[in-house]
Amino acid sequence: MLDTPEAVFEALRENHERPHGLQRTVVAEELAEAAEVFDKPDVLVTALLELMTSYEFTGEHRKAPVVFARLLKLWDTAPESFSEGEAHQVFWRFKWVTTSLIQVPDVPLATIRGWVDRMRERYEAGGHGMQPVAAMRHHIAAHTGVGAADAYDLWITRPRTELSDCEACETRNMARHLMADGDDSAALDAWGPVLDGSQSCSEEPQSSQARALLPLLRTGRTDEARSHHLTGYRRVRGNTGMQQEVGLHLEFCALSRNEGRGLEVLAENRGLFEATGAPLARLGFLTGVEVLLARIVAQGHGDVTVAGPPGRNWTAAGLLGHVRAEAEPLAAAFDTRNGTTAVGDRRKARLAQEPLLAEPLPLGLRTAVVRPAAGPGATDTPASGTAPASPSASPSGVAIPEDFVELVREARRLSGAGQPSEHRLWERIAERMADGSAPDPHDHRLGPRELLEAELADHRADGHGNAERRTEFAAEQDRAAGLFTRAGMPWHALAARANALAWGAEWQEGETAGREETAAGIDALLAEAERLAAEAPFTGEAPGAGETAVSAHSGNDVGRTRVLHHLMVLNAAAYSAYREVLEQLPEPSEAAVARFDAFSGRLRTESERLSAPHQTANARQYVADLAARRGDLALAEAELRAALADVAAAGRPWRGSRPRCLLAQFLLARHEPDEAVELLHQAIGDAVRHDDAGFPLAPSYALLGHAASHQGDFGGAVRHLSEAAARYDQDGDREEATDVRLQLADVLARAGQQADAVAVLESVLSDETAEGLDERMLAQARLTLARGLRELGEQLPAAEEFLRLADTVAGWEDDRAVHTLVAAEAAVTLALADRWDAAASAYDRAVAAHAEAGNPPMLAHMMREFARLTVLAREEEGVDAALEHLARADALLAAEPQDTEDFALWYEQGSVHYRRGRVLAEAQRFPEALEAVEAAIAAHERGGEEGEVPRAEAVRIAALIEGNGLERRAAAVTRLAAAAARCRAGGLPEAADILDALRQEFQQR
């Protein structure tokens, strides 16, 4: 009941603790009405200030000036009703009113300027400096575009006062001025203290993070742009007081080519379409929406479903038209009010922007909305200054002839050279044959009619092979073999059949019949190869019509073509034998090993004799991989380095990517990340440069990220892991993508970017993206997220994640101790959030779980933390409760055997004694406190070398109790001197310095 002033004050205090939002604003309005019934202006003053605060931070700029007018009237009629702090707020909020009036186009410019004049008069009468007044005049000038430079100089050259905006907000406005002048670098330099966290306030850094995104992209600082999007967006998401900032994040998504992420951001902020209290901020939001939607529509995806104003379903094109119909007249209204075109010009400039990157910036996030592939009629204009791709060129830069015969000839030439980019041309050939734009595909200049069909089947098989679709691969290779046979190309047919057997055969684990059938087939093909070699020697005699057509364009004569296909058969045999050994590991049969040794040796011998070093490299890779899996890393490394030499001799650099990746793995296992990083960069670079569609880019980027993190290059690790996650998404491999994101979150946390890590984990755990993923993997992600939120000080969200996870793991029969761990962490986090009733329930749950599946370190930690937090929350009243928690910890640890595996009992017991000493010292029970800390020192003694650091800390506390609490400074000095000497002798100079500093302090007293 709000029937007394005291009840209203209490309700105001409670409401002030709520986060800004609709609920807080509605309650503030109710409390302002309740305060009016009392003949006590001081209650109304407090209520109106609270209401104005709610309006300011939820974007209700139309309403805030009305409330301030009431406050100003009270200030003039009953100034004694204002406390000192409230009087300060009256002058402070003159600035809020100015910025609110700028937000509303219905308010004449003369009225806004008149208000600033009133502000100046009030400041002069109150004896306040004029810098805040100059700041408001600069706001007006920057908004209207009239006299901004002069107004900036008048503001920036005046000294700050106690009523100036906070340093963070002033930094933002300085940077915005520099950015408006077109100097991105200077703006970012000015923004430095806000972006690095040195300056902050309730609006910062999130406001500046949003505004700095495009300057960061334009200046090539993409890592920082990624980070500020991840962390900044979390702070503005769904916030009606941050509409403009949400619009800037949408714009960033569009211009960094992350349209899918943009659509997800739009869906998360659907409620902002209903926020109309700040028209200028709304215009900023709508313009950001328009930038995103215009890009999606221009790509040919106007019919994609998107989130718009509630009440109906929207497509991208439909919402674009709706937003444009509101934003254009709104911008015009501001320009009419201002008598300039500044607002409309800024809007047009935003809408005219093109993407700032050639490829999507990997953000490390999993989005539910996949970026749509370009469709017919879609356009995708690159960044300014970059010419659009020629229609006769592939994305890799490979020329694609328009003439069909030339197209086929060029595809055959690339195939003969083993160039991976051949697939681009075969894809184009298949497209033209499918859509009827090809002339007669059986043109006599292209050889027998079956030849082109065989080559296309072979190309389709490659696609299936890259996707590990064995059955489809084998079917297409068998089809190609039949067509090659009809075309008079027996070696080509033989290689296709060998490939079908080696790479296409499928059998279940432990199945022998399938393996034996494959081995028999390979043996038959090798016998056929020997027969062919005897009947049609490699000299090129008696070529078939198909061989003549291919050799005419491949750069190889018929003899050389036969040699290459002969070696393909041997490679297939070696791979088949390698695969059999691989599937029998760790204990392959002697017969399988002997078969592999024979076939890999034959491939190496023949490729060396016939001068085909790229096939020698294949043999070496098979040997290296099996050697590594069997523990012979020295042999594996030697073979891979030799394989790279073979690749170089072959003049086929694209074939070095896979052995480089394998070698990098071995080097990482040896903790040699520097060379590993170099090898992986070259491997990925060659694969991309030569358009190797079969190269596993996603796992290679993941490995590179792992290597970079071992180097200590966290920025590089974040880039590469983000790229890996995005590529796994494109490949549809959700489990691998999630695993990489967990690694990414770990790297971000270790790099001190905890907010970035939390953003990544939230994307992993969003309802739509998490569906169907492995429960254990998601549980690990949720645990890491909860801990990250707790580290960021977001205790209540962290506790909610812990409780959700506890419900999940409670049903795990095979790992019951995890439930104890999670329940204990939930209890501590709820206590940190000051939710003591819920914390007590979680505490009891953890104790019950421990009785079923023990986790003594976690439970002891929980009890110690409850002791510490209870004292902080209840001060003197909490001492007895804290000691009770520590007594329970003593009993818990006393029940544990001294030799419990993976459990340092000495440390846990010492930590309990240490906490008891701190609790007793807080209660000024110094003799008992010293006794407890002495027990902690003794316990840590039992830990030997590992116990030296916690022992030194316990000694420090003992000395403080002794010197300050018991006033026995000489004893404390003696204790500290001995402990410092012990630390120096034990190689702990930092601990020794801390103890020495305290000793010197006591001596000086």
Side-chain angles (χ1 to χ4, degrees):
M1 294 292 290
L2 302 175
D3 51 1
T4 66
E6 291 74 21
V8 173
F9 272 126
E10 180 60 29
L12 285 167
R13 277 192 290 271
E14 290 180 4
N15 198 43
H16 189 74
E17 296 301 317
R18 290 190 175 96
H20 289 293
L22 180 60
Q23 182 185 9
R24 177 169 171 174
T25 301
V26 169
V27 172
E29 290 173 335
E30 293 172 351
L31 292 175
E33 290 180 10
E36 287 189 89
V37 304
F38 305 112
D39 187 20
K40 292 182 69 66
D42 57 331
V43 182
L44 184 57
V45 165
T46 304
L48 290 174
L49 285 169
E50 170 64 21
L51 178 57
M52 190 176 180
T53 299
S54 295
Y55 285 155
E56 174 70 17
F57 288 98
T58 53
E60 291 288 354
H61 292 283
R62 292 182 185 273
K63 299 178 181 180
V66 177
V67 179
F68 188 72
R70 296 175 65 189
L71 275 168
L72 205 55
K73 184 176 180 180
L74 286 167
W75 173 253
D76 291 335
T77 59
E80 70 282 356
S81 302
F82 290 75
S83 68
E84 183 179 348
E86 289 171 338
H88 177 80
Q89 283 297 312
V90 170
F91 288 98
W92 183 271
R93 297 189 186 198
F94 268 96
K95 299 178 296 180
W96 288 11
V97 174
T98 303
T99 53
S100 291
L101 295 175
I102 291 173
Q103 282 276 343
V104 183
D106 304 341
V107 178
L109 195 60
T111 300
I112 303 173
R113 287 176 172 148
W115 176 260
V116 177
D117 290 340
R118 287 181 66 191
M119 175 182 172
R120 177 184 56 78
E121 293 167 1
R122 295 276 186 164
Y123 273 43
E124 284 178 343
H128 300 295
M130 292 295 108
Q131 194 258 17
V133 177
M136 294 304 102
R137 286 182 172 147
H138 172 252
H139 280 314
I140 297 171
H143 171 66
T144 61
V146 177
D150 290 341
Y152 178 80
D153 289 340
L154 286 172
W155 161 49
I156 209 69
T157 54
R158 289 178 180 268
R160 283 176 51 79
T161 76
E162 64 175 2
L163 290 171
S164 296
D165 281 342
C166 75
E167 287 185 308
C169 288
E170 289 206 337
T171 294
R172 176 183 72 236
N173 289 319
M174 291 175 195
R176 291 180 67 183
H177 176 79
L178 294 167
M179 190 172 71
D181 275 355
D183 194 339
D184 285 339
S185 295
L188 291 170
D189 287 344
W191 253 318
V194 173
L195 297 181
D196 68 14
S198 302
Q199 296 175 357
S200 64
C201 68
S202 60
E203 296 180 10
E204 291 296 349
Q206 59 266 33
S207 183
S208 289
Q209 286 176 310
R211 287 167 171 79
L213 290 172
L214 295 190
L216 287 167
L217 285 185
R218 287 193 291 260
T219 54
R221 293 162 63 172
T222 52
D223 289 349
E224 293 167 81
R226 176 196 299 110
S227 177
H228 289 307
H229 170 65
L230 295 182
T231 60
Y233 173 67
R234 287 190 72 247
R235 293 186 175 103
V236 303
R237 179 175 53 204
N239 186 340
T240 55
M242 288 278 174
Q243 283 181 286
Q244 166 80 1
E245 287 75 7
V246 173
L248 291 170
H249 281 280
L250 289 167
E251 179 180 57
F252 164 79
C253 290
L255 301 184
S256 65
R257 296 183 184 268
N258 281 285
E259 295 88 348
R261 166 66 171 167
L263 291 177
E264 191 166 78
V265 169
L266 185 62
E268 290 178 338
N269 292 276
R270 191 174 192 179
L272 296 188
F273 283 105
E274 298 181 297
T276 59
L280 186 60
R282 180 174 179 79
L283 177 62
F285 168 67
L286 294 176
T287 303
V289 174
E290 192 172 346
V291 171
L292 173 67
L293 296 177
R295 175 129 177 83
I296 290 170
V297 171
Q299 289 178 304
H301 304 292
D303 59 348
V304 168
T305 300
V306 299
R312 58 165 283 191
N313 296 325
W314 296 93
T315 64
L319 183 57
L320 176 62
H322 176 84
V323 167
R324 188 171 286 160
E326 180 183 352
E328 286 181 354
L330 185 54
F334 279 106
D335 284 342
T336 299
R337 188 270 301 274
N338 299 336
T340 68
T341 60
V343 173
D345 289 345
R346 285 193 288 269
R347 169 178 149 76
K348 290 174 185 175
R350 289 180 68 184
L351 295 174
Q353 296 173 107
E354 298 292 347
L356 297 169
L357 303 175
E359 296 291 335
L361 174 66
L363 299 176
L365 301 174
R366 169 67 183 169
T367 61
V369 183
V370 180
R371 183 186 182 202
T379 60
D380 193 0
T381 310
S384 178
T386 304
S390 165
S392 61
S394 75
S396 65
V398 177
I400 300 180
E402 290 294 331
D403 180 78
F404 188 75
V405 172
E406 287 303 314
L407 176 62
V408 174
R409 287 176 170 174
E410 179 63 9
R412 288 174 176 168
R413 186 189 70 77
L414 293 176
S415 296
Q419 284 272 9
S421 55
E422 64 168 296
H423 77 96
R424 298 281 183 191
L425 278 69
W426 290 116
E427 286 174 359
R428 183 59 183 149
I429 292 168
E431 289 171 1
R432 293 192 61 179
M433 291 182 68
D435 65 19
S437 65
D440 182 4
H442 306 304
D443 189 301
H444 69 280
R445 292 173 293 175
L446 300 179
R449 59 180 298 160
E450 296 87 0
L451 173 57
L452 186 55
E453 293 178 12
E455 290 166 321
L456 287 170
D458 186 59
H459 163 69
R460 290 192 296 272
D462 285 343
H464 292 308
N466 291 339
E468 298 185 358
R469 296 188 292 265
R470 292 185 184 276
T471 301
E472 293 86 344
F473 171 85
E476 290 292 350
Q477 285 287 9
D478 286 336
R479 174 177 168 76
L483 291 164
F484 280 131
T485 298
R486 287 159 55 188
M489 304 173 70
W491 279 109
H492 287 72
L494 193 63
R497 289 201 295 273
N499 289 340
L501 275 176
W503 280 272
E506 288 193 282
W507 52 74
Q508 300 296 320
E509 184 177 349
E511 180 185 339
T512 58
R515 291 195 188 91
E516 291 173 356
E517 184 179 344
T518 299
I522 290 290
D523 290 341
L525 291 174
L526 289 172
E528 176 68 8
E530 292 176 0
R531 185 187 67 78
L532 282 177
E535 293 181 0
F538 298 147
T539 55
E541 298 169 3
E547 289 178 316
T548 301
V550 171
S551 65
H553 312 300
S554 66
N556 293 319
D557 60 24
V558 171
R560 187 59 183 168
T561 298
R562 291 174 177 175
V563 164
L564 293 176
H565 283 77
H566 167 63
L567 293 174
M568 286 182 192
V569 175
L570 296 183
N571 181 46
Y575 176 79
S576 180
Y578 155 82
R579 185 180 163 194
E580 184 172 358
V581 174
L582 188 66
E583 295 189 3
Q584 292 183 24
L585 289 176
E587 296 182 4
S589 66
E590 291 183 7
V593 172
R595 183 177 176 85
F596 170 73
D597 289 342
F599 284 171
S600 61
R602 183 176 175 185
L603 174 60
R604 180 181 299 189
T605 301
E606 281 293 277
S607 57
E608 288 174 348
R609 181 178 72 84
L610 297 171
S611 302
H614 65 283
Q615 290 289 13
T616 309
N618 283 339
R620 293 188 188 278
Q621 286 180 71
Y622 301 144
V623 172
D625 185 54
L626 291 180
R629 292 172 187 271
R630 301 176 76 178
D632 192 345
L633 295 182
L635 173 61
E637 181 178 349
E639 287 292 327
L640 287 172
R641 293 192 185 279
L644 289 172
D646 291 332
V647 166
R652 299 186 177 198
W654 54 88
R655 285 186 169 268
S657 293
R658 288 166 177 78
R660 283 191 176 91
C661 287
L662 282 173
L663 181 56
Q665 290 183 54
F666 302 153
L667 292 171
L668 278 176
R670 280 213 316 253
H671 306 290
E672 297 178 23
D674 291 347
E675 187 183 357
V677 166
E678 183 180 339
L679 287 166
L680 289 164
H681 273 299
Q682 186 172 351
I684 292 171
D686 283 343
V688 172
R689 188 176 306 112
H690 296 287
D691 199 19
D692 187 351
F695 180 74
L697 278 170
S700 300
Y701 272 113
L703 186 61
L704 179 55
H706 183 62
S709 72
H710 278 267
Q711 272 188 318
D713 177 12
F714 291 120
V718 169
R719 280 194 300 278
H720 305 317
L721 291 172
S722 297
E723 182 70 35
R727 290 184 178 275
Y728 276 125
D729 286 342
Q730 293 168 13
D731 295 342
D733 195 336
R734 298 176 63 214
E735 294 282 357
E736 289 294 343
T738 300
D739 183 64
V740 167
R741 288 190 170 92
L742 293 181
Q743 296 178 48
L744 173 59
D746 177 66
V747 169
L748 287 166
R750 286 192 284 127
Q753 296 173 250
Q754 188 63 258
D756 299 51
V758 163
V760 170
L761 292 167
E762 285 178 336
S763 78
V764 168
L765 291 165
S766 65
D767 291 341
E768 293 184 15
T769 57
E771 185 177 356
L773 290 175
D774 179 71
E775 183 183 55
R776 302 294 173 117
M777 181 182 290
L778 292 176
Q780 181 60 56
R782 196 171 300 284
L783 178 63
T784 309
L785 171 60
R787 288 171 172 170
L789 289 166
R790 185 172 61 197
E791 187 170 324
L792 291 176
E794 299 180 32
Q795 308 296 356
L796 200 53
E800 290 170 354
E801 294 295 341
F802 278 125
L803 291 172
R804 188 177 294 118
L805 180 58
D807 290 340
T808 297
V809 303
W812 290 4
E813 296 297 335
D814 59 335
D815 204 352
R816 304 292 295 162
V818 173
H819 184 211
T820 308
L821 178 148
V822 175
E825 295 220 42
V828 171
T829 309
L830 285 163
L832 287 167
D834 203 28
R835 298 293 197 272
W836 285 96
D837 289 343
S841 296
Y843 186 106
D844 292 341
R845 180 177 185 175
V847 171
H850 173 75
E852 185 179 342
N855 194 330
M858 198 65 237
L859 211 65
H861 172 77
M862 177 189 74
M863 291 170 175
R864 293 196 303 270
E865 278 295 279
F866 262 70
R868 179 180 70 86
L869 295 171
T870 299
V871 171
L872 288 175
R874 304 177 192 172
E875 298 180 352
E876 291 183 12
E877 296 177 3
V879 171
D880 290 341
L883 293 174
E884 175 60 27
H885 288 301
L886 295 171
R888 295 184 72 174
D890 283 335
L892 167 80
L893 297 173
E896 290 297 316
Q898 291 286 333
D899 57 350
T900 301
E901 189 177 353
D902 298 327
F903 178 46
L905 184 59
W906 61 267
Y907 173 79
E908 298 297 337
Q909 290 177 329
S911 297
V912 173
H913 291 311
Y914 171 85
R915 180 52 57 195
R916 181 178 290 107
R918 296 291 298 263
V919 168
L920 291 166
E922 287 286 336
Q924 299 189 5
R925 293 161 59 175
F926 298 119
E928 295 171 83
L930 183 59
E931 182 182 352
V933 179
E934 293 278 14
I937 295 170
H940 291 314
E941 288 270 6
R942 301 202 309 269
E945 186 176 333
E946 292 182 5
E948 286 300 314
V949 171
R951 180 189 184 280
E953 167 59 13
V955 168
R956 184 182 72 86
I957 296 300
L960 285 169
I961 294 169
E962 204 165 30
N964 292 337
L966 299 173
E967 296 187 357
R968 301 197 314 234
R969 294 190 180 89
V973 166
T974 301
R975 181 192 296 275
L976 289 165
R982 176 171 175 153
C983 286
R984 292 195 191 284
L988 299 172
E990 292 183 11
D993 290 344
I994 291 170
L995 296 171
D996 273 337
L998 182 57
R999 175 182 58 79
Q1000 291 168 13
E1001 181 185 333
F1002 281 139
Q1003 287 177 327
Q1004 288 169 1
R1005 291 192 210 170

